[in-house]
């Protein structure tokens, strides 16, 4: 669908394809992505490590805010677990299709 959209924007679609055809392909492929990545195991395989990283950073930032324990500090629960360094903002560079995977994973 992406290539069709690029061709459409540049007025280079073959005459046999209409704007409605492009919209139909876009709708089908987007729906297919969501359908596949809504499967719990597939979402875990596709996005698990990234989701864990994002959640760990968010938890570390929240814990540091609540307890005052800074980056790499002990968890304060006697477990000796070092927390990841909290970051106030996470920037991730990825393909736009990654957003679909993240939406389905959360």
């Amino acid at each position: 669908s992406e290539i069709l959209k690029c061709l459409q924007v540049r007025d280079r679609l073959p005459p046999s394809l209409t704007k409605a055809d492009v919209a139909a392909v876009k709708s089908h492929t987007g729906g297919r992505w969501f359908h596949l990545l809504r499967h719990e195991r597939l979402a875990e395989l596709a996005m698990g490590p990234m989701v864990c990283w994002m959640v760990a950073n968010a938890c570390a930032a929240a814990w540091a805010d609540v307890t005052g324990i800074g980056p790499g500090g002990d968890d304060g629960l006697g477990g000796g677990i070092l927390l990841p360094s909290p970051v106030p903002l996470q920037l991730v560079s990825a393909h736009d299709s990654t957003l679909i995977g993240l939406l389905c994973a959360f």
Side-chain angles (χ1 to χ4, degrees):
S1 81
E2 292 172 359
I3 192 78
L4 291 178
K5 184 65 179 171
C6 290
L7 290 171
Q8 182 183 31
V9 168
R10 290 170 179 75
D11 293 323
R12 300 193 68 192
L13 274 177
S16 60
L17 290 176
T18 66
K19 289 182 181 182
D21 293 332
V22 174
V25 169
K26 180 181 172 187
S27 176
H28 173 76
T29 55
R32 186 79 178 136
W33 271 97
F34 276 106
H35 175 75
L36 290 173
L37 289 174
R38 277 193 180 126
H39 187 276
E40 186 177 337
R41 180 68 176 139
L42 185 55
E44 180 185 340
L45 290 171
M47 302 308 301
M50 185 177 200
V51 168
C52 287
W53 172 77
M54 293 172 81
V55 170
N57 279 323
C59 288
W63 185 257
D65 187 50
V66 169
T67 65
I69 297 173
D74 187 278
D75 64 5
L77 302 175
I81 299 170
L82 294 181
L83 299 171
S85 297
V87 292
L89 176 68
Q90 298 178 50
L91 296 177
V92 178
S93 176
H95 189 271
D96 57 357
S97 63
T98 304
L99 294 174
I100 297 171
L102 286 173
L103 287 171
C104 291
F106 282 103

